[in-house]
Amino acid sequence: MTSMKSLRWLMRKKSGLSDGGKSSFRMKQLPFMAVVCTVMLFIVYRTTKYQYHQEEIDKKWSLWGKAEAYLTTSQKLKGLPRGIIQDSSDLELRPLWLRSNSRSKSRDYSNRNLLAIPVGIKQKHNVNAMVQKFLPENFTIILFHYDGNVDGWWNLDWSSKAIHIVAQNQTKWWFAKRFLHPDIVSIYDYIFLWDEDLGVEHFSPSRYVKIVKEEGLEISQPALDPNSTEIHHRITVRARNKKFHRRVYERRGSTRCSDASEGPPCTGFVEGMAPVFSRSAWYCTWHLIQNDLVHGWGMDMKLGYCAQGDRTKKVGVVDSQYVVHKGIQTLGGSDHGATKVSKLKKTTTVKFLVT
């Protein structure tokens, strides 16, 4: 009898332990289920956010009248395997005869900048001096030959490292519109689109880039030496005691520049001979350049639209790194809008302000 009671007691105890084990297992499951639910909610959130951004992109295309072209392009790319699409390129040379490991180590593709110059063989000596300043500073060089003469450049040591594009009697803006598409130059932090008649004895590309980065200048230019042959606008003249300036004060003829001035030529202005664009600013500027633009007169007055914000703050002239404008006319150009420095000195007094 006693043994029967002991057996029943053991059975009940076992049953109780079994129920407790199930309860403990359920308790352990709760944190796991909570983690699973959190992950699922995060996935739903990210998916919804991605879809929202895609809709916003589609709206932007639609606003510019490109929705149809965008959809057409997407349809054309549907046959490509996922992950294979490469929507950008660059202007870096990749010689066929280099070994793959040498090719990867030969150039540093980070923090790169681009110097593009329209050139003629008559300015070979000056262009040589310009390129030798830029090439060691991690710059890619592209020369637009408007006179058709490329053979005359091969005896320069750096010529094989540059990109040469030839089109007879074409201007800087014609070349830029066709060969500097934003998707092609997207790896470059800054695009220097300069004329060939600039003296760079007092200019350091690396110091210049450092200044524009520190000051947040999306569009800029080096100041012009007061002894330059021609100066078109007073705001571009070098201020000796400044690192950079964004504004000029002046009273000359019909020009009145004061604190109330909000646009060119008093503030938010750089000239077309030596502009420097950030990647974002160039993306905008390329779309601003009209396809039939030739000389580009007046183009500099519109560049402020691409300042990526307030042009009075995002556009500036760097004084500590300056160049000499030699005023050499090319492609049969005239001195349209040019003003002699000596005349400017006699007619006006100018003050600079760093803001």
Side-chain angles (χ1 to χ4, degrees):
M1 192 71 177
T2 304
S3 62
M4 289 295 290
K5 288 181 178 180
S6 298
L7 183 61
R8 288 173 186 166
W9 180 82
L10 286 172
M11 292 295 288
R12 287 172 186 169
K13 187 175 181 180
K14 185 177 180 181
S15 177
L17 287 172
S18 178
D19 292 342
K22 290 179 180 178
S23 177
S24 176
F25 177 72
R26 292 194 190 99
M27 291 297 292
K28 290 179 180 179
Q29 276 188 322
L30 288 176
F32 175 74
M33 293 301 295
V35 171
V36 172
C37 290
T38 302
V39 171
M40 291 181 67
L41 286 172
F42 178 75
I43 293 173
V44 171
Y45 166 76
R46 294 292 296 177
T47 304
T48 304
K49 187 177 180 181
Y50 174 78
Q51 290 175 342
Y52 171 77
H53 282 299
Q54 287 299 113
E55 289 177 1
E56 290 297 310
I57 292 171
D58 291 342
K59 286 179 182 177
K60 289 180 181 179
W61 277 91
S62 181
L63 286 173
W64 287 99
K66 298 292 184 180
E68 185 177 344
Y70 175 73
L71 291 172
T72 302
T73 303
S74 299
Q75 291 293 329
K76 291 179 180 178
L77 297 177
K78 273 190 172 181
L80 291 176
R82 184 176 300 176
I84 202 173
I85 296 174
Q86 181 72 54
D87 59 359
S88 63
S89 185
D90 55 56
L91 294 168
E92 300 307 298
L93 298 174
R94 293 172 172 82
L96 183 64
W97 53 86
L98 282 182
R99 294 179 181 177
S100 58
N101 58 345
S102 300
R103 192 182 299 124
S104 62
K105 295 178 181 178
S106 62
R107 303 293 289 273
D108 178 13
Y109 294 109
S110 62
N111 300 315
R112 287 200 68 78
N113 303 295
L114 175 69
L115 172 66
I117 319 172
V119 300
I121 196 64
K122 292 181 180 179
Q123 303 307 321
K124 178 180 176 180
H125 177 74
N126 193 67
V127 172
N128 181 39
M130 293 172 67
V131 172
Q132 292 201 43
K133 278 271 187 174
F134 282 83
L135 199 57
E137 302 281 3
N138 208 26
F139 272 76
T140 296
I141 310 297
I142 179 169
L143 302 183
F144 300 130
H145 296 272
Y146 59 77
D147 62 353
N149 189 335
V150 180
D151 292 339
W153 297 81
W154 294 125
N155 63 337
L156 298 175
D157 294 339
W158 51 262
S159 186
S160 62
K161 300 176 183 177
I163 297 170
H164 301 264
I165 296 178
V166 184
Q168 196 81 22
N169 293 328
Q170 300 304 309
T171 64
K172 175 167 69 175
W173 301 108
W174 185 93
F175 282 108
K177 185 67 175 178
R178 285 150 184 83
F179 300 103
L180 299 183
H181 188 280
D183 289 344
I184 301 298
V185 299
S186 61
I187 71 165
Y188 306 107
D189 293 337
Y190 292 93
I191 292 91
F192 289 62
L193 189 56
W194 283 18
D195 287 353
E196 61 184 330
D197 61 343
L198 300 175
V200 294
E201 292 81 2
H202 308 287
F203 183 83
S204 167
S206 59
R207 292 175 186 170
Y208 182 92
V209 169
K210 182 180 179 181
I211 292 172
V212 297
K213 282 185 177 179
E214 289 175 349
E215 304 302 333
L217 300 178
E218 296 287 336
I219 301 176
S220 62
Q221 75 161 83
L224 301 183
D225 189 314
N227 295 317
S228 296
T229 303
E230 291 178 351
I231 292 180
H232 299 251
H233 300 281
R234 264 297 181 176
I235 193 173
T236 62
V237 181
R238 181 192 177 211
R240 297 181 184 277
N241 59 339
K242 304 293 184 182
K243 183 167 72 171
F244 74 100
H245 65 272
R246 297 185 176 99
R247 179 181 296 274
V248 66
Y249 295 92
E250 136 176 66
R251 290 186 178 182
R252 175 172 55 88
S254 60
T255 303
R256 295 288 186 271
C257 294
S258 65
D259 285 323
S261 302
E262 297 181 350
C266 305
T267 186
F269 175 82
V270 299
E271 198 167 358
M273 70 183 71
V276 179
F277 305 91
S278 70
R279 185 186 297 110
S280 299
W282 178 248
Y283 182 89
C284 173
T285 302
W286 186 89
H287 287 85
L288 176 67
I289 301 172
Q290 301 301 297
N291 196 53
D292 59 352
L293 186 66
V294 181
H295 293 289
W297 292 331
M299 179 74 182
D300 43 17
M301 292 290 180
K302 307 299 181 184
L303 292 178
Y305 289 119
C306 293
Q308 309 302 295
D310 186 349
R311 71 167 67 191
T312 65
K313 296 178 181 179
K314 297 289 188 178
V315 181
V317 178
V318 178
D319 298 295
S320 60
Q321 300 300 318
Y322 62 98
V323 297
V324 177
H325 183 211
K326 300 181 180 182
I328 300 171
Q329 301 301 329
T330 57
L331 286 174
S334 65
D335 60 350
H336 179 83
T339 309
K340 296 296 183 183
V341 179
S342 58
K343 184 178 179 181
L344 281 172
K345 288 180 179 177
K346 292 178 182 178
T347 59
T348 184
T349 301
V350 180
K351 295 180 181 180
F352 294 88
L353 176 68
V354 177
T355 55

